[in-house]
Amino acid sequence: MNIPSNLRYTKEHEWIRVEGEVAYVGITDYAQSELGEIVFVDINTEGETLAQNEVFGSVEAVKTVEGEVLEINESINDQPELVNNDPYGEGWMIKIRVVSAAELDTLMDAEAYKEFIG
């Protein structure tokens, strides 16, 4: 199971990679393996501001930290298998502008996430 140490994780099995005020969000390797083959991703929240834990799209129910959705990874619309094949790279789902960096402290680091999934 691939759990990069440079990311933060939610109990809903999403990962967050922060680069300055921008964060990339996707689902974890564990989540994609549990879901099986991803054949459809529905994300239509670009330009909206979402609260922490608010759903931004569906593969299942996907939630993260509060922020303005800056970009949706259009590649996964045509190639949803990217979520399975490269969940931490080309399979990212949305890019957001983080509103409250303090919310990142509520997320799990890699070690805590490993314990969470057992």
Side-chain angles (χ1 to χ4, degrees):
M1 188 71 47
N2 185 13
I3 304 174
S5 61
N6 65 322
L7 305 176
R8 301 295 287 195
Y9 300 88
T10 72
K11 291 181 179 179
E12 290 78 23
H13 308 287
E14 294 97 27
W15 59 263
I16 295 91
R17 181 180 72 237
V18 179
E19 296 179 2
E21 292 183 354
V22 175
Y24 290 80
V25 179
I27 63 172
T28 65
D29 191 25
Y30 174 83
Q32 70 79 23
S33 69
E34 289 294 304
L35 290 170
E37 183 181 355
I38 307 292
V39 294
F40 181 72
V41 177
D42 181 27
I43 302 172
N44 57 9
T45 51
E46 189 167 358
E48 296 181 23
T49 298
L50 305 173
Q52 184 175 23
N53 295 322
E54 188 173 353
V55 174
F56 66 77
S58 63
V59 170
E60 199 175 62
V62 182
K63 304 169 230 172
T64 189
V65 295
E66 180 178 2
E68 177 189 354
V69 179
L70 300 174
E71 185 179 342
I72 295 169
N73 184 356
E74 297 294 337
S75 298
I76 61 175
N77 288 333
D78 298 328
Q79 301 174 57
E81 67 275 7
L82 288 172
V83 178
N84 290 113
N85 299 334
D86 193 11
Y88 301 114
E90 295 299 315
W92 64 273
M93 296 185 173
I94 64 171
K95 190 188 308 183
I96 64 172
R97 177 175 287 110
V98 177
V99 172
S100 172
E103 288 181 354
L104 298 170
D105 294 335
T106 67
L107 303 176
M108 292 178 273
D109 63 14
E111 287 304 312
Y113 185 68
K114 285 178 193 174
E115 288 181 31
F116 178 72
I117 63 173

